[in-house]
Amino acid sequence: MADGSPPFRPAIPPRRAGKPLSLLPFLWISWRDPIQMWSERHFTEPQLHGRSAFGEILVVSHPQGVRHVLTENAANYEKGDLQRRVLGPMLAQGLLLTEGGAWRRVRRILAPLFTPAKMATLNARMAEVCFARVAAWSLSARGRVLDIDSEMSGLTFDILSATMFSDELGGEARGFERALNQFLANGARIDPLDVLGAPDWAPRLGRLASFRSARFFERRVTTLVEARRARIEAGETAPPDLLTALLVARDEHGDALSDEEVAANILTFILAGHETTARALGWTLHLLSRQPDYMARLQAEADAFDAADPKWAEGLPWTRAVLEETMRLFPPAPTMARKALADDEIGGQVIKAGATVIISPWILQRHALLWDDPDAFRPERFLPENRKAIDRYAYIPFSAGPRVCIGAAFALQEAMIALAAILRVAEVEPLTRVEPRPVHQITLRSREPMRLRLRARRRPTPSPTGID
């Protein structure tokens, strides 16, 4: 740290001594919190190979191996069956889970919506939404305690609704948040029956418990699609957003996406898009509450922030560095699994077709061979003059290769703008010395609600749009 004090090390789950897990402990940890299954060896050895009741497994934690799986030989690796079993009931035909031609088709349709030029047109709207949300907190010098998880979910949902759905989801953040929390806490857990490969007709308790949330998403998205389709078919001018793009898109044969494909991709962006950014913002505010010197740097940048400036991002180097360091320590998507379609060799280890290859940003981005003081919060690593020293495949919060997250630039942009909006007016303070513990529920969440006190800074009130 710049002031010479020891760096802050946030709390993490204890790591196992290293013995392989037997079946019952493995099933229990997979259901309760998968990040607790990793042993100390995973964070000190470049890769670990083994066999279990579920077949051959290789955990890859070195940049060369990650590059091989995600980029150089990506065609040999597809999303694992487990992920499709867990998320498939809602997202089976979405960009996150599809493979091959179906994936390439939708990716081509969506790509024009996420170009740098398109992202630049969203700055002012994102800032407007963020400043409106922060103003609604009505902060005072006495401070206000906020449920940061809930507030960041609402904020990123508002941004998504405004920019990707032209506000047609506006006003429904609370309903979506409740349904999403229920889905992640129950339906999105790794059920032992999924791990054991039980047939789909066998009832999963988590999915039964999350039935109402699944129905909520289905009904609301169906209504959204039908309303927009009616506008298009009536000859009205439709907003040039994600929903319109999905409805009017045609492939090389002139075929449109089915209603199921449209709905699955909308849900993918709602469930995956806004949820991951919300979690990154929550962890960032937690870390800043423990590190006032870093917060002061970000506040100084926020005071000069102007979304109308085409080079606004260049004025937020510490803001971006803090966000990236947060996502290194608390990657929103902590684990990726791939299945080998054919025999291969990774890091000198031969694997057979059907083997499971695991790449975990939670491990990779805290690995002792790749990072100096890996568990410490040190945003300086990601300042422009230092970032070039970080291997592209040692830091993958948005994955990498052909299947890199299509919304990565969108997410980073909205998170930087959101932080600038918040820290322009607020001081962030912890309520307790007890550290929140991360838990893996598809995304990396806090086990208990993350609550912080926000006080009004003594500075002029920002303009309504955040553009001075």
Side-chain angles (χ1 to χ4, degrees):
M1 291 178 59
D3 62 2
S5 59
F8 177 67
R9 294 177 179 82
I12 58 174
R15 295 169 184 168
R16 297 185 303 103
K19 291 184 179 180
L21 290 169
S22 58
L23 178 60
L24 290 180
F26 176 83
L27 293 175
W28 169 249
I29 291 176
S30 295
W31 177 80
R32 188 169 183 268
D33 181 11
I35 64 169
Q36 294 190 31
M37 73 173 59
W38 308 120
S39 72
E40 190 63 39
R41 290 184 62 196
H42 287 101
F43 296 86
T44 58
E45 299 185 26
Q47 63 184 39
L48 289 175
H49 178 262
R51 297 182 183 278
S52 70
F54 316 107
E56 185 179 14
I57 298 176
L58 180 66
V59 180
V60 178
S61 305
H62 57 98
Q64 296 83 358
V66 175
R67 181 186 297 111
H68 178 82
V69 173
L70 297 183
T71 300
E72 294 172 348
N73 199 23
N76 188 50
Y77 294 92
E78 65 176 16
K79 296 290 182 76
D81 293 337
L82 184 59
Q83 188 174 16
R84 280 195 288 270
R85 290 195 192 105
V86 173
L87 297 177
M90 293 182 66
L91 307 180
Q93 298 187 58
L95 191 64
L96 184 66
L97 297 183
T98 52
E99 300 283 354
W103 171 80
R104 287 190 291 272
R105 176 192 185 205
V106 176
R107 183 88 179 196
R108 285 197 301 268
I109 290 169
L110 296 179
L113 290 173
F114 295 93
T115 62
K118 179 64 176 179
M119 291 299 99
T121 68
L122 303 179
N123 299 338
R125 187 71 178 109
M126 285 183 175
E128 182 181 4
V129 171
C130 291
F131 274 89
R133 184 85 185 191
V134 173
W137 294 340
S138 301
L139 299 180
S140 68
R142 293 181 60 187
R144 180 180 177 186
V145 176
L146 295 178
D147 181 334
I148 292 299
D149 293 325
S150 178
E151 291 297 336
M152 293 305 101
S153 291
L155 174 58
T156 58
F157 185 89
D158 287 348
I159 293 172
L160 189 70
S161 177
T163 57
M164 292 285 102
F165 301 106
S166 302
D167 279 325
E168 291 187 12
L169 289 174
E172 297 199 36
R174 290 296 183 191
F176 270 94
E177 182 190 351
R178 286 193 297 269
L180 178 62
N181 287 337
Q182 185 183 26
F183 175 72
L184 291 175
N186 297 295
R189 285 195 175 192
I190 299 175
D191 192 286
L193 293 178
D194 290 323
V195 176
L196 295 171
D200 291 340
W201 53 260
R204 272 69 164 172
L205 294 179
R207 290 178 202 166
L208 293 173
S210 64
F211 176 76
R212 287 187 179 180
S213 61
R215 288 290 296 160
F216 172 88
F217 286 125
E218 180 183 336
R219 286 195 300 267
R220 187 60 191 94
V221 169
T222 297
T223 301
L224 181 70
V225 171
E226 290 176 347
R228 181 66 63 85
R229 189 185 298 281
R231 289 182 60 181
I232 294 172
E233 292 178 350
E236 298 179 21
T237 301
D241 58 14
L242 172 68
L243 179 54
T244 296
L246 289 168
L247 287 171
V248 304
R250 298 293 183 271
D251 63 17
E252 60 272 21
H253 305 296
D255 295 328
L257 297 177
S258 67
D259 283 354
E260 291 78 13
E261 288 176 305
V262 172
N265 280 289
I266 291 173
L267 286 171
T268 296
F269 276 85
I270 292 174
L271 297 181
H274 105 89
E275 163 66 11
T276 53
T277 308
R279 300 292 71 80
L281 283 169
W283 288 113
T284 300
L285 291 173
H286 157 64
L287 292 170
L288 289 174
S289 75
R290 260 62 173 181
Q291 299 281 267
D293 54 333
Y294 285 124
M295 182 162 56
R297 292 178 184 270
L298 269 62
Q299 288 170 331
E301 292 183 352
D303 290 345
F305 169 65
D306 180 1
D309 183 352
K311 297 184 178 180
W312 65 269
E314 295 179 13
L316 302 176
W318 276 99
T319 303
R320 177 168 182 150
V322 165
L323 270 168
E324 293 200 293
E325 175 71 345
T326 299
M327 289 190 291
R328 182 186 72 82
L329 291 172
F330 297 100
T335 299
M336 295 177 283
R338 297 288 189 269
K339 183 175 74 172
L341 300 178
D343 295 357
D344 199 7
E345 181 177 333
I346 304 173
Q349 175 66 54
V350 174
I351 60 172
K352 296 294 184 181
T356 297
V357 176
I358 295 176
I359 296 172
S360 171
W362 173 259
I363 298 172
L364 184 74
Q365 295 169 187
R366 290 175 177 264
H367 205 282
L369 297 179
L370 302 175
W371 303 90
D372 179 33
D373 203 355
D375 293 323
F377 177 63
R378 292 171 48 187
E380 300 93 308
R381 309 177 204 264
F382 289 94
L383 289 175
E385 62 270 25
N386 300 328
R387 203 186 190 291
K388 61 177 70 74
I390 299 174
D391 192 294
R392 170 67 185 87
Y393 292 88
Y395 177 70
I396 54 168
F398 299 105
S399 190
R403 297 200 68 138
V404 65
C405 175
I406 195 172
F410 180 97
L412 188 58
Q413 177 173 310
E414 72 169 318
M416 291 173 66
I417 291 174
L419 275 182
I422 294 167
L423 296 177
R424 191 168 185 170
V425 299
E427 301 283 353
V428 185
E429 302 171 356
L431 292 182
T432 173
R433 299 173 70 92
V434 178
E435 284 286 299
R437 295 281 179 151
V439 58
H440 183 180
Q441 292 179 349
I442 300 300
T443 57
L444 200 63
R445 297 183 141 213
S446 172
R447 186 179 299 279
E448 302 296 333
M450 193 183 295
R451 304 174 76 233
L452 297 171
R453 177 178 286 109
L454 272 64
R455 299 183 189 276
R457 290 178 61 199
R458 295 183 179 180
R459 66 174 308 280
T461 303
S463 64
T465 62
I467 305 172
D468 294 335

